[in-house]
Amino acid sequence: MAAISNDWLPALRPEFGKPYYRELYSFINQEYATRTVYPPADRIFEALHLTPLHEVKVVILGQDPYHEPDQAHGLSFSVMPGVQIPPSLANIYRELHSDLGCRIPNNGYLKKWADQGVLLLNTLLTVRAHAAFSHQGKGWEQFTDAIIRAVNAEDRPVVFLLWGRPAQAKRSMLDNPKHLVLTAPHPSPLSANRGFFGCRHFSKTNDYLRAAGITPIDWQIEDI
């Protein structure tokens, strides 16, 4: 696993000495040595590398990484350029178009959001090829909870977008009155029609940031 070197390190350092993390570290090393695992090992902490703690404006919480070749690269919902846009992300783009008039781009590469302070975090950071949730219950949940707690503790406004029940289960952790927490069904084809479409989370996020004197997010992903 690539080392964390920015301001996430002091926030997360206490986790590294805990028994669960030592077990997780051993398990992950063995998995990468003996299995096909996504994302690439040097991108496990890509969300943290691209979006330092002090720059986080928005948190979008996913579940586990995409588990097919060339998709996952460490950012929730995002895929590498040249990879077909997954259905959930296609629905996110559809809502962005409806909410803010954003054009539907020809790619699913969301690094532009991460560079602006959108923490694209999955609750699980690794997965075996072709086996969704195969690294569930191995310790990632505790680690990503520590990430969420670190953002919650920030003394400034942050917007949390919790889509679907697993993400909404984190709602009780978010007790900082400076933050805005928005919930909706997951954007997957199975649930997007139950309230994700029409939630207008993107415009609500930008309205909240502007009201706090914070530069809003440019959600438009450009064509490649």
Side-chain angles (χ1 to χ4, degrees):
M1 293 188 279
I4 299 169
S5 58
N6 58 16
D7 63 350
W8 283 107
L9 182 58
L12 298 175
R13 185 180 283 118
E15 302 303 305
F16 301 149
K18 295 179 180 180
Y20 89 84
Y21 191 85
R22 291 195 293 268
E23 293 174 10
L24 171 65
Y25 188 85
S26 176
F27 169 77
I28 293 301
N29 281 342
Q30 180 67 13
E31 286 285 285
Y32 274 93
T34 60
R35 307 267 189 167
T36 300
V37 177
Y38 302 125
D42 61 353
R43 293 199 168 205
I44 292 174
F45 297 130
E46 188 82 344
L48 306 183
H49 294 153
L50 292 179
T51 312
L53 176 57
H54 73 279
E55 294 181 4
V56 175
K57 299 178 181 179
V58 182
V59 178
I60 297 180
L61 192 61
Q63 297 182 37
D64 72 335
Y66 296 122
H67 51 80
E68 296 303 323
D70 303 319
Q71 291 183 314
H73 65 103
L75 302 181
S76 63
F77 294 103
S78 181
V79 292
M80 292 297 290
V83 176
Q84 183 176 358
I85 297 171
S88 291
L89 182 54
N91 286 338
I92 291 171
Y93 284 163
R94 178 177 163 186
E95 175 60 20
L96 267 169
H97 177 71
S98 173
D99 187 13
L100 291 173
C102 292
R103 291 175 289 98
I104 307 296
N106 65 0
N107 67 92
Y109 189 49
L110 304 182
K111 181 177 181 291
K112 177 181 176 179
W113 295 357
D115 289 340
Q116 296 179 81
V118 181
L119 181 66
L120 295 165
L121 180 67
N122 281 315
T123 55
L124 308 175
L125 299 188
T126 56
V127 66
R128 284 183 189 172
H130 319 301
F133 297 105
S134 48
H135 287 178
Q136 194 170 36
K138 302 298 184 180
W140 279 132
E141 294 91 342
Q142 292 97 308
F143 187 74
T144 54
D145 278 358
I147 294 172
I148 295 167
R149 285 194 298 270
V151 180
N152 181 63
E154 288 289 286
D155 188 28
R156 55 190 175 79
V158 176
V159 182
F160 290 81
L161 304 183
L162 306 182
W163 299 334
R165 288 183 182 176
Q168 291 170 24
K170 309 298 183 182
R171 178 67 181 86
S172 61
M173 301 171 59
L174 306 175
D175 58 3
N176 187 330
K178 293 194 173 183
H179 302 330
L180 174 66
V181 181
L182 299 175
T183 63
H186 195 274
S188 76
L190 294 175
S191 56
N193 284 309
R194 299 174 190 163
F196 178 78
F197 292 137
C199 70
R200 304 191 66 234
H201 278 187
F202 303 101
S203 61
K204 290 176 181 177
T205 292
N206 280 354
D207 288 346
Y208 193 78
L209 294 176
R210 286 192 194 95
I214 299 170
T215 303
I217 305 299
D218 177 6
W219 295 103
Q220 180 66 63
I221 300 294
E222 285 77 20
D223 287 344
I224 294 178

